Amino acid sequence: MDDAPESNELFLFLASTAHDMKNSVSVLSGTLETLLANAAPGTETAYPQMAHMLYQTKRLNDNLIQLLALYKQVGKPAYPFDMQPLAMGDLVAQVAGASRILLDSRHIKLETSADPDLVWHVDEDLIVGVLGHAINNAIHYTKDTIRLVIGVVDGDLEIRIEDNGAGYSAAMLEAGVSATLGARAGVNFLTNSTGLGLYFSSEVAKMHKHRQRAGRLRLENGGTYGGACFVLSLP
């Protein structure tokens, strides 16, 4: 990385701009959630449009949060990574609560399965960000159901987000997560995809380490509903 003053000033300007944009989008998202919560589905012709606007604002907010976290990781100062014990019941409640209005507006059911007494050391902010993005993505592709499952598999904490949509494309599964990340993935202007969400999620997984083992992200099809499965494993 170029440590020239001009380069550092540019990084700071971009991070400050992204932070300011994130704050504005958060206000807009909160306003839309309030409007949707106070409007009964079907009684307002604008309800579907507001629901779509909320989805897009949450998607934009996710991307800005991811940009800020990645900037802090590769820039200066380093990202304040903070692993603390977290009850999985609290994690599920937090993620489900943040998505409730958008799920209701799209008539999508969120099923959850987790031992409320299970406690794991994670960076809460980063994991909530990853799961929020994954659920927001599943909302776009599922038919009507999303499932959030948390458990211990082979000594790791496994967090699965499954849906009953068409699943990931064969090309995406064949390439694997690592081949679709970041700059190597480029920008797909047909799908408006930059690969940022997967890159962010994979980096967050890798940041969680225990006894020389690091977390990992994988994509697969199947699960309970036969659709897409976003699987995060943390040591």
Side-chain angles (χ1 to χ4, degrees):
M1 177 183 297
D2 186 357
D3 291 329
E6 295 82 0
S7 177
N8 291 332
E9 289 178 3
L10 177 59
F11 272 118
L12 180 60
F13 171 76
L14 293 175
S16 299
T17 301
H19 188 271
D20 186 57
M21 293 168 63
K22 179 188 72 66
N23 289 341
S24 296
V25 172
S26 295
V27 172
L28 177 58
S29 178
T31 301
L32 285 170
E33 286 187 340
T34 300
L35 291 172
L36 283 167
N38 294 331
T43 60
E44 297 287 343
T45 57
Y47 190 91
Q49 288 83 356
M50 286 194 297
H52 182 68
M53 288 172 63
L54 179 59
Y55 164 76
Q56 293 295 345
T57 55
K58 282 185 171 292
R59 180 173 176 269
L60 178 56
N61 194 60
D62 287 345
N63 288 341
L64 290 171
I65 291 174
Q66 292 160 7
L67 281 172
L68 285 170
L70 291 172
Y71 162 76
K72 291 180 179 179
Q73 182 184 353
V74 301
K76 299 176 181 179
Y79 184 84
F81 185 66
D82 184 25
M83 287 180 61
Q84 297 291 336
L86 176 65
M88 293 302 101
D90 293 341
L91 176 61
V92 169
Q94 186 176 169
V95 173
S99 304
R100 181 183 60 82
I101 292 178
L102 180 57
L103 288 164
D104 290 346
S105 70
R106 293 290 192 95
H107 307 291
I108 295 173
K109 178 173 63 175
L110 176 65
E111 297 180 347
T112 61
S113 176
D115 180 354
D117 296 324
L118 175 62
V119 175
W120 212 264
H121 281 75
V122 300
D123 185 303
E124 181 176 352
D125 289 340
L126 288 177
I127 294 301
V128 168
V130 167
L131 299 185
H133 174 80
I135 288 179
N136 203 41
N137 189 62
I139 286 173
H140 185 63
Y141 292 102
T142 191
K143 292 179 181 177
D144 55 20
T145 306
I146 296 172
R147 185 168 183 251
L148 169 60
V149 186
I150 302 179
V152 178
V153 177
D154 296 330
D156 288 345
L157 180 73
E158 184 174 276
I159 305 176
R160 300 177 64 92
I161 295 179
E162 307 174 346
D163 64 53
N164 64 347
Y168 295 109
S169 67
M172 192 169 188
L173 292 177
E174 183 179 355
V177 173
S178 61
T180 64
L181 303 181
R184 284 172 293 177
V187 178
N188 187 331
F189 290 102
L190 295 178
T191 62
N192 294 322
S193 174
T194 61
L196 178 62
L198 283 179
Y199 180 69
F200 172 75
S201 300
S202 181
E203 289 300 300
V204 168
K206 293 175 184 176
M207 292 167 72
H208 286 77
K209 299 178 181 179
H210 180 65
R211 294 180 179 176
Q212 299 182 333
R213 292 189 300 121
R216 59 198 180 280
L217 169 68
R218 74 177 186 273
L219 306 178
E220 59 188 40
N221 288 335
T224 302
Y225 307 121
C229 303
F230 177 98
V231 186
L232 196 68
S233 297
L234 306 176

